[in-house]
Amino acid sequence: MKRATIADLAAEPFDILVIGGGIYGMMTAREAALRGLRVALVERADFGGATSHNSLKVMHGGIRYVQHLDPGRLRASARERAFWQAAAPQLVHPMEFIIPLFGHGVRGPAAFAAAAALYTVASAGLRGPGYGGTGVVSARTACARLGDLAPAGLTGGGVWRDGQIEDINRLHMSVLRSAFDAGAILSNHVEAVALTREGDAITGARMRGVFTGDEGTVRAGVTVCCSGAATARLADGAIPGAARRFPGFARATNLVIDRPAEATAKGVVSRGRSDAIVDRGGRMFFLTPWQGRTIIGTHESPAPDATARDPVDIRHFLAEISEAAPALALAAQDVLWVHQGLIPADVDDGPNRVRRMTRGTLIDHAEADGVGGLISVVGVKYTTARLIAERAITRAGRQLDTQPADPAVSFRTSLPEVAPALVDTGSDRVLEARMRDAFEKEMAMTLADAIIRRTNLAECGDLDDCDSVLKDRVLRAAAKVQAWDDRRVAQERDTLDRALSEAAPMNGRHPGIVKK
């Protein structure tokens, strides 16, 4: 994949300009390209490097929407989970979940069995292969499967299957490759400074290279803004008052901990209230196996200043998990990697301060504000990114006065396989080849891009084992490929060190890179 320059972007108009390279932006660019539109995708940092990277790595099939009494979203989630598994079976596969059940009311086996039956009926024909088996197991079986995490007094266990993302970085590269192969123009580390407007129409955006400082204006018939918390600011800058239409945001935290992975994802019940309409008695946290480690998530907290990272939340999360699952005996040094990002949420000053939104935001500003050429998207679920992209591009086609190709094309099109993230760290030749691929074929621009989001040398490794020798070898390999001088090498080392420290702020030691 070739990264576009600002000069490339500014050379001629596009049908669609997508701002924001998270999963919603990537899928929107793919959707537009597959449907025959000329599209550009820009991202101010690295593709998939914010909230999309910082997730629990689960494709949700919608069982939680039984509690929310929302069959429409249940069916959409089941269908989209099936899309991901069919499109990328090497990266998305079924994984079993189990939660403890209590008593004989809404938290008990009978209530869950009823919910499971409703889910099975509502999702019939949509779930895809490997997602059966939703139901209830006995208290004895639940205790055996939950092991040390089994709470006292459980009366059964609820079981189902959802999708696990084996390697989210590879999945992002696969989506980008799909968009690129269909004709999309891609550029990361390019910031959309402001939208441009002529009369009652948004005509594109002014761009600035984050590292180069060069500027240019990208013209487009429709701009689709998928830049998370920045979307409201961009819209409001061109359409005063538009920001009132956007949701608030909360900070979501998932922790990779120093515990070996198990075959089943296990739920533990906190003492915090659930955000479901049918409150089953407490927010559920899950211990999910991933890359030989365990991820715990998801903890949510207010983020009024839209700051994506805060170590205070990590301490609060550890305290809550320790109370809910004392058998884990977690301490700060057990946290190997911290995933934090911003999610749309209602935040108030009540006892349940954060209520995660179940509905995304898709605003066609031609209808909402009388200003054409702009569609804003704020997504709530990774799983349904393709579906929301389909809807956004269908609306964009109406503004372009054209009929993009069959929207089902994106559902039917598989994602291409891309290079594996694992590398043989014992070979300098292999390290150099992997860095060459990252920079020349996968649009990495920094060492942090290459190590954190083009390989898994950092985030799933034993970060307590700081291997500065390996880090130096990887840096030398990247410097050779990119012909960096000593000043750039020092800059890249500092930037990587900050990124790694930010991702593991609790253990008091500088994280390193794991040997494979």
Side-chain angles (χ1 to χ4, degrees):
M1 291 182 288
K2 180 182 178 182
R3 177 182 177 274
T5 66
I6 286 185
D8 296 331
L9 294 167
E12 56 183 289
F14 293 90
D15 296 318
I16 304 290
L17 168 63
V18 182
I19 299 174
I23 190 58
Y24 275 76
M26 288 187 276
M27 291 301 284
T28 299
R30 174 182 182 267
E31 180 78 24
L34 286 172
R35 293 171 70 178
L37 299 174
R38 179 169 165 77
V39 57
L41 169 65
V42 298
E43 161 59 40
R44 66 179 175 179
D46 192 21
F47 294 118
T51 301
S52 297
H53 177 79
N54 299 318
S55 75
L56 195 58
K57 317 297 189 291
V58 173
M59 292 291 188
H60 295 285
I63 192 169
R64 72 191 301 262
Y65 291 128
V66 175
Q67 288 179 269
H68 288 271
L69 306 179
D70 197 339
R73 275 161 185 77
L74 183 158
R75 289 178 60 81
S77 297
R79 181 174 184 266
E80 294 304 310
R81 181 187 61 190
F83 155 74
W84 285 107
Q85 184 175 348
Q90 72 280 9
L91 294 173
V92 180
H93 53 79
M95 176 174 61
E96 185 174 80
F97 284 71
I98 182 168
I99 60 172
L101 303 173
F102 302 93
H104 303 284
V106 296
R107 303 173 65 199
F112 190 91
L118 284 172
Y119 177 76
T120 300
V121 171
S123 61
L126 300 173
R127 293 187 298 273
Y131 290 103
T134 303
V136 171
V137 296
S138 68
R140 181 176 181 178
T141 299
C143 284
R145 293 191 188 180
L146 288 166
D148 291 342
L149 298 179
L154 64 76
T155 55
V159 295
W160 72 94
R161 289 188 172 190
D162 260 327
Q164 182 184 42
I165 304 172
E166 184 68 26
D167 189 329
I168 206 164
N169 296 323
R170 295 291 91 197
L171 189 58
H172 290 162
M173 286 296 109
S174 186
V175 172
L176 287 169
R177 169 59 70 179
S178 181
F180 181 82
D181 288 348
I185 307 299
L186 313 173
S187 193
N188 54 346
H189 297 287
V190 169
E191 181 180 10
V193 177
L195 300 176
T196 56
R197 175 174 173 174
E198 296 178 7
D200 289 333
I202 301 301
T203 59
R206 295 200 315 273
M207 300 292 174
R208 180 175 60 230
V210 172
F211 298 127
T212 62
D214 53 336
E215 298 185 356
T217 297
V218 182
R219 296 163 291 160
V222 175
T223 298
V224 184
C225 194
C226 306
S227 53
T231 300
R233 174 185 60 79
L234 284 168
D236 202 64
I239 309 172
R244 71 183 184 277
R245 304 188 185 281
F246 290 85
F249 284 83
R251 191 164 37 249
T253 302
N254 299 287
L255 306 177
V256 180
I257 63 169
D258 189 14
R259 296 291 187 275
E262 299 186 24
T264 301
K266 301 177 179 181
V268 295
V269 182
S270 79
R271 295 191 178 184
R273 291 188 59 198
S274 167
D275 63 356
I277 293 173
V278 181
D279 186 356
R280 300 188 62 256
R283 175 170 291 283
M284 192 74 63
F285 296 129
F286 288 96
L287 283 77
T288 303
W290 175 76
Q291 296 283 340
R293 300 294 186 182
T294 297
I295 304 180
I296 304 180
T298 298
H299 179 272
E300 292 139 7
S301 59
D305 56 354
T307 300
R309 287 193 176 271
D310 189 343
V312 171
D313 287 355
I314 306 169
R315 291 193 289 271
H316 289 167
F317 191 10
L318 281 173
E320 195 164 359
I321 285 294
S322 295
E323 185 177 32
L328 286 175
L330 284 182
Q333 61 266 26
D334 296 317
V335 177
L336 303 178
W337 196 265
V338 176
H339 292 292
Q340 285 188 309
L342 296 172
I343 59 170
D346 293 322
V347 180
D348 59 34
D349 57 359
N352 185 29
R353 299 179 64 193
V354 174
R355 183 180 293 273
R356 179 191 286 262
M357 290 185 172
T358 60
R359 296 175 180 265
T361 300
L362 193 158
I363 303 171
D364 184 338
H365 292 274
E367 295 180 0
D369 300 297
V371 178
L374 178 63
I375 294 173
S376 295
V377 175
V378 180
V380 297
K381 285 182 65 176
Y382 194 108
T383 311
T384 52
R386 190 214 61 85
L387 176 62
I388 303 306
E390 175 189 306
R391 293 173 179 172
I393 294 304
T394 296
R395 282 189 165 270
R398 295 171 190 160
Q399 293 199 36
L400 292 168
D401 196 24
T402 186
Q403 294 295 323
D406 178 9
V409 66
S410 67
F411 190 89
R412 296 192 305 262
T413 303
S414 295
L415 296 171
E417 292 194 36
V418 294
L422 287 170
V423 297
D424 176 8
T425 57
S427 167
D428 287 344
R429 180 183 59 81
V430 172
L431 282 178
E432 183 179 326
R434 189 64 192 88
M435 290 298 101
R436 187 176 302 281
D437 283 348
F439 284 99
E440 296 182 358
K441 298 179 181 179
E442 298 174 334
M443 296 177 290
M445 289 194 71
T446 71
L447 188 62
D449 292 349
I451 287 180
I452 298 175
R453 286 174 295 277
R454 305 302 188 279
T455 76
N456 58 4
L457 289 175
E459 67 174 343
C460 69
D462 183 355
L463 301 183
D464 288 337
D465 178 17
C466 182
D467 191 338
S468 59
V469 174
L470 176 56
K471 184 164 60 176
D472 287 343
R473 290 175 55 223
V474 176
L475 180 54
R476 285 197 302 270
K480 181 178 179 181
V481 167
Q482 293 296 94
W484 289 336
D485 59 21
D486 290 344
R487 180 180 178 183
R488 179 66 183 271
V489 167
Q491 179 184 1
E492 291 292 332
R493 177 189 289 277
D494 289 345
T495 300
L496 175 63
D497 286 348
R498 286 195 301 271
L500 293 174
S501 295
E502 188 178 61
M506 299 300 292
N507 59 23
R509 292 184 293 276
H510 192 286
I513 302 170
V514 68
K515 291 181 178 179
K516 298 295 179 186

